[in-house]
């Protein structure tokens, strides 16, 4: 390892599938060491993970970083949003965490919306309309289906909170991740005691919300982690807010993230309140807002279609009349938690490559349909769409987004933007800078730009028509086995 120009910091990305750790030079943004370890997620009706796997993966990822991690002066954790982590009096998980893409709480989401005044009231109160992704609905599901687990719970955390608490011994969260729970009031930026009372959750079980730029704690002794005693721990945040920090986003810059989930978002000065529920009115990690729309089916769903067809993920072909809605895990945008994948327009001359392209088109259609709602009216419609996430490196994803959006598409060369955003947050503790300014100094958004082309409105309109016509079928509840 060559000598660093500034102090070293660690940024962590604990995602659905794995945990990554980067050791970064705070002066330059250069990654001097990295590590990664996987998690497992259940399949079938639910999507659950044992939080202890996240910790074990973090320990392994840091071990792979070697001596550089020991030299780090600060650390921050970015983590998958919305997951419900229930802990007993010893800080051990009561049961596996219910993850963001577990949609079993769809009935509780509908019920909570009705019981507390409807969608408009929820949007004004929390920035969100209850959906199966959000933590409040998962708590309501747990109370209904596993009351013994609720009775055993002495602390409720989000995934990034759990890891931060394992580091510091203190129960903390931040405004960005707290805003995705459904029990955080966006107008007052505090826990909503009325909602908590309604779902039977004692506020004393929740973590303290640490302010942007505040130190969450220091790394405690006794973990065997490669951190020096007294290493500072930043608040951390949810993965999308961390990626926004990692890009150094300014208001109005549109982002599309292609991962296990797909998201579109932008930083805004205005507090979002969308009563349709399409746009979640999240807070960002440094005082502004992060209106965001999310789909459950993105890269994994398209990869699954490719596997079923026996094709490489890049083996797409143009043309054809097929429409494929890849809603393999139910869907959040549009709000169809019981949907499954749907194929329409199959002909004798339809090729496997055209079917694969139709899967890409269906996934991107859902994201672009929400993008205009995410952006403020004064956002520049010609601004490049920043394309990030694992799928952003794929030519088929890039060209599909470019063709269906009609926008220029910029692909940042920096990888692991969630971990880089967490690292920028950690660096801000040391330098006193805004983490977004740190990331801009690191030039993390730099990358090639694909020029805008004519928008493929014909394909967009065909997909919209199939989606509208198939709505009754997609809304039908099916029994899931396995």
């Amino acid at each position: 390892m060559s000598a660093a120009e500034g102090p070293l910091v660690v940024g962590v990305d604990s995602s659905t599938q794995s945990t990554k750790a980067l050791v970064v030079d705070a002066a330059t943004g250069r990654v001097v060491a990295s590590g990664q370890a996987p998690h497992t997620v259940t399949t079938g009706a639910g999507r659950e993970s044992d939080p202890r796997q996240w910790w074990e993966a973090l320990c392994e990822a840091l071990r792979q970083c070697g001596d550089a991690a020991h030299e780090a002066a600060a650390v921050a954790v970015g983590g998958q949003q919305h997951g419900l982590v229930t802990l007993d009096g010893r800080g051990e998980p009561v049961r596996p965490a219910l993850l963001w893409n577990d949609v079993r709480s769809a009935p509780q989401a509908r019920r909570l919306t009705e019981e507390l005044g409807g969608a408009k009231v929820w949007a004004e109160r929390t920035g969100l309309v209850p959906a199966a992704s959000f933590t409040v609905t998962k708590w309501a599901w747990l109370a209904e289906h596993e009351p013994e687990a609720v009775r055993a719970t002495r602390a409720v955390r989000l995934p990034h909170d759990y890891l931060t608490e394992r580091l510091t011994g203190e129960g903390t969260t931040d405004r960005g991740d707290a805003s995705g729970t459904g029990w955080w009031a966006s107008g007052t930026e505090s826990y909503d005691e009325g909602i908590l009372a309604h779902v039977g959750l004692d506020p004393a079980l929740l973590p303290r919300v640490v302010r942007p730029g505040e130190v969450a704690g220091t790394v405690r002794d006794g973990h065997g982690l490669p951190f020096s005693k007294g290493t500072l721990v930043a608040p951390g945040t949810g993965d999308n807010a961390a990626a926004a920090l990692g890009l150094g986003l300014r208001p109005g810059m549109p982002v599309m993230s292609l991962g296990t989930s797909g998201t579109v978002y932008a930083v805004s000065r205005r507090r979002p309140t969308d009563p349709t529920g399409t746009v979640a009115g999240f807070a960002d990690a440094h005082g502004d807002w992060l209106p965001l729309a999310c789909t459950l089916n993105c890269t994994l769903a398209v990869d699954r279609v490719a596997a079923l067809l026996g094709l490489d993920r890049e083996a797409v072909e143009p043309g054809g009349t097929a429409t494929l809605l890849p809603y393999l895990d139910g869907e959040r945008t549009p709000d169809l938690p019981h949907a499954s994948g749907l194929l329409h327009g199959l002909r004798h001359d339809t090729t496997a490559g055209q079917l694969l392209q139709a899967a890409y088109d269906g996934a991107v259609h859902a994201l672009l349909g929400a993008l205009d709602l995410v952006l403020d009216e004064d956002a520049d419609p010609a601004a490049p769409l920043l394309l990030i996430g694992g799928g952003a490196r794929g030519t088929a994803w890039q060209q599909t987004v470019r063709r269906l959006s009609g926008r220029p598409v910029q692909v940042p060369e920096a990888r692991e933007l969630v971990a880089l955003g967490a690292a920028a947050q950690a660096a801000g503790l040391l330098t006193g800078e805004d983490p977004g300014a740190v990331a801009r100094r690191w030039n993390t958004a730099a990358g090639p730009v694909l020029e805008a082309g004519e928008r493929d409105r014909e394909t967009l309109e065909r997909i919209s028509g199939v989606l509208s016509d198939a709505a009754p079928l997609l809304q039908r509840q099916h029994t899931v086995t396995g």
Side-chain angles (χ1 to χ4, degrees):
M1 184 184 74
S2 59
E5 294 183 24
L8 298 181
V9 293
V10 170
V12 175
D13 173 12
S14 183
S15 66
T16 313
Q17 305 289 333
S18 67
T19 290
K20 309 173 189 74
L22 303 181
V23 184
V24 180
D25 182 341
T28 65
R30 182 172 63 90
V31 176
V32 301
S34 64
Q36 179 174 349
H39 322 141
T40 59
V41 180
T42 61
T43 59
R47 294 291 186 274
E48 301 180 353
S49 288
D50 184 344
R52 287 169 292 207
Q53 282 196 353
W54 307 336
W55 177 252
E56 292 164 1
L58 174 59
C59 292
E60 172 58 21
L62 289 169
R63 186 195 65 76
Q64 293 173 20
C65 292
D67 292 341
H70 184 75
E71 297 176 23
V75 57
V77 178
Q80 56 177 304
Q81 293 183 257
H82 313 312
L84 175 64
V85 180
T86 50
L87 304 177
D88 63 19
R90 298 175 295 115
E92 294 294 326
V94 171
R95 67 176 315 286
L98 296 168
L99 302 187
W100 59 274
N101 54 351
D102 187 313
V103 298
R104 286 176 290 178
S105 62
Q108 288 73 26
R110 289 192 296 270
R111 191 183 73 230
L112 286 174
T113 303
E114 295 167 359
E115 289 174 348
L116 288 177
K120 188 174 187 299
V121 170
W122 272 91
E124 289 288 345
R125 192 165 174 172
T126 68
L128 311 175
V129 177
S133 298
F134 299 137
T135 324
V136 67
T137 71
K138 300 179 190 303
W139 176 261
W141 182 91
L142 194 66
E144 184 173 331
H145 291 273
E146 299 181 19
E148 70 285 355
V150 167
R151 287 192 293 270
T153 297
R154 296 294 177 268
V156 172
R157 302 289 185 261
L158 297 166
H160 115 260
D161 307 343
Y162 172 77
L163 291 174
T164 301
E165 186 167 359
R166 289 288 299 261
L167 288 170
T168 66
E170 302 290 334
T172 60
T173 190
D174 88 302
R175 70 191 293 271
D177 219 0
S179 69
T181 59
W183 55 58
W184 186 81
S186 60
T188 61
E189 300 204 22
S190 61
Y191 290 129
D192 190 312
E193 294 190 2
I195 291 175
L196 292 172
H198 187 80
V199 298
L201 179 54
D202 184 350
L205 303 187
L206 298 177
R208 179 174 68 90
V209 181
V210 179
R211 298 185 302 275
E214 183 182 351
V215 176
T218 58
V219 176
R220 57 178 171 168
D221 292 334
H223 285 315
L225 293 177
F227 291 123
S228 301
K229 183 178 180 181
T231 301
L232 297 178
V233 181
T237 192
D239 51 5
N240 289 298
L245 287 182
L247 288 165
L249 284 190
R250 297 185 186 277
M253 296 171 63
V255 177
M256 180 181 289
S257 177
L258 303 172
T260 304
S261 64
T263 57
V264 286
Y265 57 85
V267 171
S268 175
R269 305 287 190 205
R270 304 184 183 102
R271 184 172 72 92
T273 56
D274 176 15
T276 72
T278 301
V279 176
F282 296 148
D284 74 357
H286 60 68
D288 288 323
W289 301 92
L290 197 72
L292 177 148
C294 176
T295 63
L296 298 183
N297 298 277
C298 194
T299 57
L300 288 186
V302 172
D303 285 353
R304 181 57 181 154
V305 173
L308 288 171
L309 295 170
L311 297 178
D312 180 89
R313 67 182 62 165
E314 295 289 342
V316 295
E317 296 178 26
T321 59
T323 296
L324 202 163
L325 305 179
Y327 303 161
L328 306 189
D329 288 325
E331 192 45 82
R332 169 172 159 182
T333 304
D335 185 17
L336 297 165
H338 304 300
S340 56
L342 184 144
L343 173 62
H344 177 76
L346 198 62
R347 300 288 187 182
H348 274 289
D349 60 354
T350 303
T351 68
Q354 289 171 343
L355 286 182
L356 180 56
Q357 181 61 69
Y360 278 97
D361 290 348
V364 172
H365 172 273
L367 289 166
L368 290 176
L371 183 60
D372 290 340
L373 298 174
V374 163
L375 293 172
D376 290 335
E377 293 179 0
D378 53 358
D380 181 1
L385 178 56
L386 290 168
L387 198 64
I388 66 171
R393 305 288 167 179
T395 301
W397 280 111
Q398 292 175 4
Q399 294 302 326
T400 301
V401 172
R402 177 176 174 269
R403 175 172 52 85
L404 295 183
S405 71
R407 284 177 173 266
V409 174
Q410 183 170 353
V411 184
E413 292 176 351
R415 296 176 182 265
E416 309 302 350
L417 285 161
V418 173
L420 278 174
Q425 194 184 58
L429 288 184
L430 303 178
T431 66
E433 293 174 272
D434 177 88
V438 172
R440 289 190 290 274
R441 178 162 56 76
W442 292 349
N443 202 25
T444 52
V449 178
L450 308 177
E451 292 184 4
E454 184 177 355
R455 194 173 193 185
D456 184 357
R457 298 186 184 278
E458 180 181 349
T459 296
L460 292 170
E461 290 169 3
R462 185 179 75 247
I463 297 171
S464 294
V466 171
L467 179 59
S468 177
D469 291 344
L473 181 62
L474 293 168
Q475 291 165 356
R476 187 180 304 168
Q477 187 166 358
H478 302 277
T479 300
V480 179
T481 60

